[in-house]
Every structure is written in C-alpha cells, then in structure tokens.
Amino acid sequence: AHVRGILQDAIERGFSEIVQGAKEKAEIVVSFLALLELAKQKFLELRQERPFEEIRIRKIGEFPLLK
C-alpha cells in the first residue's frame, strides 16, 4: 500500500524516493519485492540506465482496487 500511495500522485519516481523513510533494511527489501511484483503484473516499468544508478519506477497502468 505504501508503494501504491507514493506512485498514485506521480507518473515516475526514483527508488530512493520510495524508501527514503525506511527505518530498517527489511522495509527496503519488501518495497523492492513489491515493485518487482507490480512490474511483473504490468502496472509499473522499472528502468536503470547503468549499474549502481538510480532505479526509476514509471507507472504504466492503474493499480487494482484493494478488497
């Protein structure tokens, strides 16, 4: 829900923007896994120009409603 909330008001964000408030490494890992799942389902596009550069997240579909 956190990732969806951040991307609701923007088309594109950097991964560092999404995890900037994380207090533990586990939060960063969970956020990354959530992004991978949303990309797999074609709601997001992930892009990284070169190794170790910022991962850019672009919203390409509407998120499904939570039940």
Side-chain angles (χ1 to χ4, degrees):
H2 173 71
V3 171
R4 288 173 44 161
I6 289 173
L7 289 169
Q8 282 300 105
D9 61 343
I11 299 290
E12 187 170 329
R13 295 251 193 232
F15 183 67
S16 61
E17 293 175 68
I18 291 174
V19 297
Q20 73 184 33
K23 294 176 179 39
E24 297 182 23
K25 285 183 186 179
E27 291 178 69
I28 296 170
V29 171
V30 169
S31 294
F32 185 71
L33 292 173
L35 290 172
L36 290 177
E37 182 60 31
L38 288 169
K40 178 180 160 187
Q41 294 178 20
K42 307 281 191 236
F43 295 113
L44 301 176
E45 178 180 271
L46 303 176
R47 185 172 33 92
Q48 184 180 32
E49 298 294 324
R50 291 178 200 79
F52 306 106
E53 280 195 359
E54 177 82 83
I55 297 171
R56 301 299 301 171
I57 298 108
R58 187 172 204 280
K59 189 168 85 169
I60 57 174
E62 290 302 314
F63 295 121
L65 297 174
L66 291 175
K67 295 179 180 182

